[in-house]
Amino acid sequence: MVYLLIILVNMSVKVNITSKGIQKVLKNYNERQAIAEYIWNGFDANANTIHVDYVSNPLGLLTELKIADNGYGINFDRLTQKFEPFFESEKSIQIVAPKHTSKMHGRNGVGRLTFFTFAHDAVWHTTYQSEQGFHNGEIRINTGGLNNYSSDFSTVPSHTGTTGTTVSFTNLKISQQDIETIVLPFLINEFCWFIELNKHKNYAIIVNGEALDFSSNIKSIEEFKLVYPDTAVTFKIKYVHWKENLHKELSKYYFLASGEEIYKDYTTLNKKSDDYFHSVYIDSDFFRDFDFKSFENEGQVAIFGAAKSSAEYRFLIKALAEYLKSKRKPFLKEYANNLIQSYEQDGIFPVYASEREKELRKPPLVNLIKALYEIEPKLFGSLNTDQKKAFVRLIDLLMCANLHDKIFEMFKGMIELDAEEEHELFQLINDLK
């Protein structure tokens, strides 16, 4: 019996995505997000260095853009999975960061087709390693046929080589100014927390030969240790206060063991509507066999290792929550002053009948608004101009009528306060009498 083995090395494949699906991708992606996708693809392939190189003509228009990584490359046997987006729904193509791990940010398929937001043609030159050696291949796609890709992996495997992928984009729609004023600042905010997470591994994004400077987004950074006294378990802490938001990543705790991320979760002060962007990196051998999920279900006990119900973990989270609150206070005071300035400029405060009345009523009103903002910024985050005026003038009228107890009850019902904050608010309002 004769067996015939046919190996297909040159091929053209229609990608499983309709024009409608592509239009949805166009709606959700822009050039900044698309370029970030190719960088995430490199890190997802276990690269530690991404090179972004571009060339512009005398008019400032880009003539070439390349994004190269030193990851494990694209395996030809898995090419279909890499370049076929199997989903069509708008929900499934939204850019959402993983919830509890920093691995695998790239979206299968769709992310690789987003180049049409900034270029007409894309070519992937990739090298991956198998038992037979190093394989070189090429994949091509253009905007005229986004639902088709052609590939060539006909090169004979070599015993020597280096894995990695370089994507070359041509017929570009963006300028050097777009790259330098829009894309690079976006990349700094997108990857700063990730580079800091992997700093000990020397992760880097190199742009035209120079490492992208992520420190430009750092407002402050502190390192210290927390030790649980009963068992001497030590936690090494690195706190970073960022100047600008981290896009979909938000503010999180990163739990590590010997520098390797085990788990991540939102901090207690995440999404408080106050622009307090921060990351907390916590390294301890305590997390090596830690069960982060057992405490989520009531009554479930971790079989191996410690869990969130452990005394050490409770000590850690309580200490960090208090630490973050202490770091946030001066930040909120600064922003409370900015709030008052904006209220002055927008005419939010009441117009008083006389200077004497203004001197008596406005300072206590301003102090109360600043204090309320420091306790709960969300109260002021989503109000339009008319709502701000109504809100401020209601407080002013209640104060003028000496109904301070009603003010306290009103805000106690509107915002969630811990015992310390409730006492602080009560004392503040009483002092205004």
Side-chain angles (χ1 to χ4, degrees):
M1 185 180 292
V2 178
Y3 293 93
L4 179 63
L5 178 64
I6 301 176
I7 301 176
L8 184 64
V9 292
N10 289 280
M11 59 188 297
S12 180
V13 181
K14 185 174 182 178
V15 178
N16 183 28
I17 186 170
T18 65
S19 296
K20 184 178 179 180
I22 293 174
Q23 290 171 2
K24 288 180 179 178
V25 174
L26 273 168
K27 176 183 175 181
N28 288 292
Y29 281 78
N30 56 40
E31 73 281 0
R32 294 165 293 173
Q33 295 164 326
I35 290 172
E37 279 293 289
Y38 293 100
I39 296 174
W40 278 125
N41 285 340
F43 285 128
D44 288 346
N46 287 344
N48 60 18
T49 305
I50 312 292
H51 288 269
V52 179
D53 294 289
Y54 60 89
V55 178
S56 60
N57 63 23
L59 297 176
L61 299 176
L62 291 196
T63 56
E64 186 179 356
L65 173 64
K66 291 183 179 180
I67 300 176
D69 68 68
N70 61 348
Y72 49 66
I74 301 173
N75 189 326
F76 176 65
D77 295 332
R78 299 173 186 165
L79 198 60
T80 301
Q81 294 125 314
K82 293 290 184 182
F83 280 83
E84 283 194 16
F86 294 100
F87 37 74
E88 292 281 351
S89 72
E90 183 174 348
K91 181 179 179 181
S92 63
I93 60 177
Q94 289 176 349
I95 304 170
V96 179
K99 187 175 180 181
H100 294 301
T101 177
S102 299
K103 298 177 180 178
M104 297 308 295
H105 268 72
R107 263 55 62 182
N108 285 337
V110 168
R112 299 180 187 275
L113 296 177
T114 59
F115 68 87
F116 53 76
T117 60
F118 61 88
H120 287 284
D121 302 282
V123 181
W124 285 257
H125 296 280
T126 188
T127 302
Y128 72 94
Q129 186 176 15
S130 72
E131 293 180 356
Q132 288 73 41
F134 291 89
H135 303 256
N136 298 301
E138 179 182 285
I139 304 108
R140 291 179 173 271
I141 307 180
N142 62 67
T143 54
L146 279 173
N147 60 339
N148 289 275
Y149 67 86
S150 62
S151 62
D152 182 0
F153 278 74
S154 58
T155 306
V156 177
S158 169
H159 293 296
T160 59
T162 304
T163 62
T165 300
T166 299
V167 193
S168 300
F169 307 99
T170 52
N171 294 319
L172 291 133
K173 310 174 188 178
I174 55 176
S175 67
Q176 180 178 344
Q177 184 178 10
D178 293 330
I179 288 286
E180 294 174 356
T181 63
I182 298 174
V183 175
L184 294 185
F186 180 90
L187 296 181
I188 288 172
N189 291 3
E190 176 79 4
F191 292 96
C192 58
W193 65 270
F194 184 76
I195 297 297
E196 193 65 46
L197 175 67
N198 295 283
K199 201 169 186 178
H200 62 291
K201 299 179 183 178
N202 297 317
Y203 275 35
I205 298 174
I206 312 296
V207 180
N208 278 3
E210 293 187 10
L212 197 59
D213 183 12
F214 296 97
S215 66
S216 62
N217 195 32
I218 295 178
K219 192 177 182 73
S220 65
I221 186 167
E222 290 184 5
E223 296 186 53
F224 57 94
K225 291 181 180 180
L226 289 172
V227 180
Y228 183 64
D230 293 351
T231 57
V233 169
T234 301
F235 303 97
K236 292 188 290 185
I237 313 295
K238 180 189 287 185
Y239 158 82
V240 184
H241 182 185
W242 307 103
K243 294 178 183 177
E244 298 182 18
N245 74 71
L246 310 178
H247 302 157
K248 297 292 182 179
E249 183 64 12
L250 306 177
S251 297
K252 291 184 179 179
Y253 291 128
Y254 300 90
F255 300 93
L256 306 100
S258 300
E260 292 298 322
E261 183 189 54
I262 307 297
Y263 193 80
K264 69 179 181 181
D265 210 347
Y266 299 113
T267 73
T268 50
L269 295 180
N270 178 64
K271 293 184 76 173
K272 290 289 187 179
S273 299
D274 56 11
D275 293 341
Y276 176 54
F277 310 115
H278 55 281
S279 300
V280 183
Y281 305 91
I282 312 155
D283 199 330
S284 176
D285 286 339
F286 180 71
F287 297 123
R288 194 170 299 282
D289 297 312
F290 197 88
D291 187 346
F292 280 97
K293 296 181 180 179
S294 62
F295 194 62
E296 294 174 3
N297 301 317
E298 286 190 28
Q300 187 176 345
V301 179
I303 299 175
F304 303 104
K308 290 184 177 181
S309 57
S310 65
E312 291 90 344
Y313 182 81
R314 291 178 181 273
F315 159 80
L316 170 69
I317 296 302
K318 182 181 178 182
L320 288 176
E322 291 174 354
Y323 173 80
L324 288 177
K325 283 181 69 174
S326 70
K327 304 301 291 186
R328 182 175 176 242
K329 275 193 173 182
F331 170 82
L332 290 181
K333 285 184 183 296
E334 175 187 340
Y335 269 71
N337 290 328
N338 294 339
L339 177 76
I340 297 302
Q341 289 179 11
S342 69
Y343 275 24
E344 293 279 13
Q345 293 170 0
D346 297 339
I348 303 300
F349 289 108
V351 177
Y352 298 101
S354 66
E355 281 298 317
R356 175 61 178 164
E357 185 181 16
K358 181 179 178 180
E359 290 174 5
L360 289 173
R361 290 171 57 177
K362 189 172 180 180
L365 176 63
V366 168
N367 289 337
L368 180 57
I369 290 173
K370 288 169 67 174
L372 288 170
Y373 181 86
E374 290 174 30
I375 294 172
E376 186 50 88
K378 278 186 178 180
L379 279 172
F380 306 89
S382 58
L383 302 178
N384 61 37
T385 300
D386 289 337
Q387 289 170 334
K388 290 174 185 176
K389 288 180 179 180
F391 184 57
V392 170
R393 291 171 196 196
L394 173 61
I395 299 173
D396 182 57
L397 288 173
L398 290 173
M399 292 175 66
C400 184
N402 203 28
L403 296 174
H404 296 80
D405 292 341
K406 297 296 182 183
I407 298 174
F408 176 74
E409 291 300 324
M410 178 177 69
F411 287 116
K412 185 180 176 183
M414 289 174 63
I415 56 181
E416 185 178 338
L417 303 171
D418 59 31
E420 182 183 346
E421 290 170 338
E422 186 173 318
H423 175 74
E424 184 181 345
L425 178 61
F426 180 79
Q427 193 64 45
L428 175 76
I429 293 174
N430 273 340
D431 289 343
L432 297 174
K433 291 182 180 180

